Amino acid sequence: MTWLAPLDAGLRDRYLRRLGLPGPPPVGVEALFAVHRAQVERIPYESVWIWLGERRTIAPLHSVRHVTGGRGGYCYHLNGAMATLLGWLGFDVRWHVGGVQGAPDSEVGATGNHLALTVDGLPTDANPGGRWFVDAGLGDGPHEPMPLVEGEHRQGPFTYALAPSVAVDGGWRFHADPRMSLVGMDFAPGDAEQQAFEAKHRFLQSHPDSGFVRVLTAFRRHATGVDALRGRVLTRQDEEGDTTTDLTTRRDWYAALADVFGLPLSDVDDERRERLWRKVDTAHEAWLATAR
C-alpha cells in the first residue's frame, strides 16, 4: 500500500455518509464497486474552488476533509481521498504517477498531471489476477472499477479500453471513449508518493495556462451517462446523445451546481457568490465574442 493515514473513525464515517453507505463494508469486490460508484455519483470533479480564489494542498487528509465538507476537487483530491477511505476500510490500494492526454497532439506518458489508483488482492472469475483499475478523478471517466487486464470495458453509453502503455515501460494506458473530454491516460507501474504531484498541482491550480484556471469545470458521472458544466454551459451525455443548456442567470447556475453536481456551496457567502457568478458570466461572454 502506497500511503495510509492513521484511522480517523469519525472522518471515515462522515465520508461514508456522504457516499450514502450505512457503515464500513467488508473488504471485497462488491464493496469496491459500491464505493467507486458512490464517489463519482455524489462527489463532483470540479474547479469551482479555484474560481473562488481558494488554494489547496493535495495532502490526502486535507482532501478527505474537503469532500466530507461538501466540496469536490480534481484528480489529486478525489483519488487521494478515495484511496485514503479504501485504505481505512482495509483495501490494498496503490498510488501511481499518471498522465492525462487531453488532445491527440498532447504529451503522452506518466507526466504527473494525474494521480492514478489500483487495488490489488480481489480475484474474481473474470479477473483471476485480482488487480483493479479504479479512478474517480477523470471527470467523465469510469463509473465502476475495471479489471486491470487488456481489453474493452463497456459502462453505460461509454466504451473504454485498457492496454499496456507504449509510452511508459511496464505501465498501462487507459483509452477514453471518443465522447470523453480526454484522449487517454498513461500511468507508471511503481508506487508513488505525494511529492510526485506537487509541481503539477501548483501549475494546475494557479497558472494562467491551466485549463482549470481558464474554464470553470464540473463533472458528475452516473450509471446512464455524465453531466458536465463548463463555464455557463451545462451538458448531459447519455444514450440519447448530448443535451446542452446555457445557464444565463445566477439563479439557474447555482441551482445546477447544487442539484446536478451536489455543490450547494453552503460555506460561501452571498458576496463571494456574486463575484463568482460575475466572473463566470464575464468569461463566458468573452468566449462567445471570440467565437463570433
Side-chain angles (χ1 to χ4, degrees):
M1 186 173 301
T2 304
W3 180 91
L4 182 61
L7 173 63
D8 183 326
L11 197 56
R12 176 202 63 193
D13 292 346
R14 286 198 296 275
Y15 200 156
L16 291 171
R17 284 195 295 273
R18 187 165 188 210
L19 297 183
L21 301 176
V27 173
V29 172
E30 182 177 343
L32 180 66
F33 273 63
V35 169
H36 195 289
R37 285 192 296 258
Q39 174 93 11
V40 297
E41 290 175 2
R42 291 171 175 258
I43 300 178
Y45 179 102
E46 53 96 359
S47 66
V48 176
W49 54 280
I50 293 175
W51 282 61
L52 282 165
E54 299 173 0
R55 291 293 178 265
R56 294 184 180 178
T57 77
I58 56 172
L61 279 179
H62 292 175
S63 298
V64 171
R65 292 188 180 102
H66 284 302
V67 302
T68 57
R71 298 290 198 94
Y74 50 45
C75 66
Y76 307 133
H77 310 111
L78 298 178
N79 280 342
M82 186 172 70
T84 302
L85 176 64
L86 290 171
W88 283 344
L89 294 175
F91 289 88
D92 184 3
V93 58
R94 298 175 184 276
W95 290 23
H96 305 275
V97 175
V100 167
Q101 183 186 8
D105 58 350
S106 299
E107 181 182 4
V108 297
T111 61
N113 69 4
H114 186 72
L115 165 59
L117 302 177
T118 57
V119 170
D120 292 340
L122 297 176
T124 66
D125 290 342
N127 183 18
R131 199 172 191 209
W132 300 83
F133 170 65
V134 297
D135 204 311
L138 287 173
D140 49 354
H143 182 238
E144 297 177 330
M146 292 186 286
L148 193 59
V149 296
E150 187 171 1
E152 289 192 346
H153 303 272
R154 181 77 177 177
Q155 294 186 5
F158 306 121
T159 299
Y160 315 114
L162 289 169
S165 173
V166 298
V168 181
D169 188 29
W172 284 86
R173 171 76 170 182
F174 167 80
H175 293 280
D177 185 276
R179 295 170 71 186
M180 283 181 67
S181 61
L182 62 143
V183 175
M185 186 273 293
D186 295 278
F187 65 94
D191 291 357
E193 301 292 340
Q194 180 181 324
Q195 60 266 26
F197 308 99
E198 293 286 359
K200 287 292 187 180
H201 170 59
R202 288 193 295 272
F203 173 88
L204 291 172
Q205 76 169 339
S206 60
H207 197 280
D209 291 338
S210 165
F212 297 111
V213 174
R214 289 187 283 109
V215 182
L216 181 143
T217 303
F219 287 99
R220 183 186 69 94
R221 185 70 162 87
H222 42 89
T224 59
V226 65
D227 296 308
L229 181 68
R230 294 180 180 87
R232 274 186 358 205
V233 179
L234 176 66
T235 302
R236 168 160 287 199
Q237 293 181 318
D238 55 26
E239 294 280 8
E240 304 300 318
D242 295 2
T243 303
T244 300
T245 305
D246 186 359
L247 303 171
T248 59
T249 69
R250 167 180 158 158
R251 177 179 178 180
D252 288 346
W253 192 78
Y254 275 108
L257 278 183
D259 299 340
V260 178
F261 299 97
L263 276 175
L265 300 181
S266 54
D267 58 334
V268 179
D269 63 30
D270 195 64
E271 181 179 349
R272 294 179 70 206
R273 283 172 171 264
E274 179 63 20
R275 287 202 303 268
L276 175 60
W277 164 246
R278 291 301 173 196
K279 186 177 179 182
V280 170
D281 188 48
T282 299
H284 185 83
E285 292 297 329
W287 172 77
L288 286 177
T290 301
R292 294 189 193 104

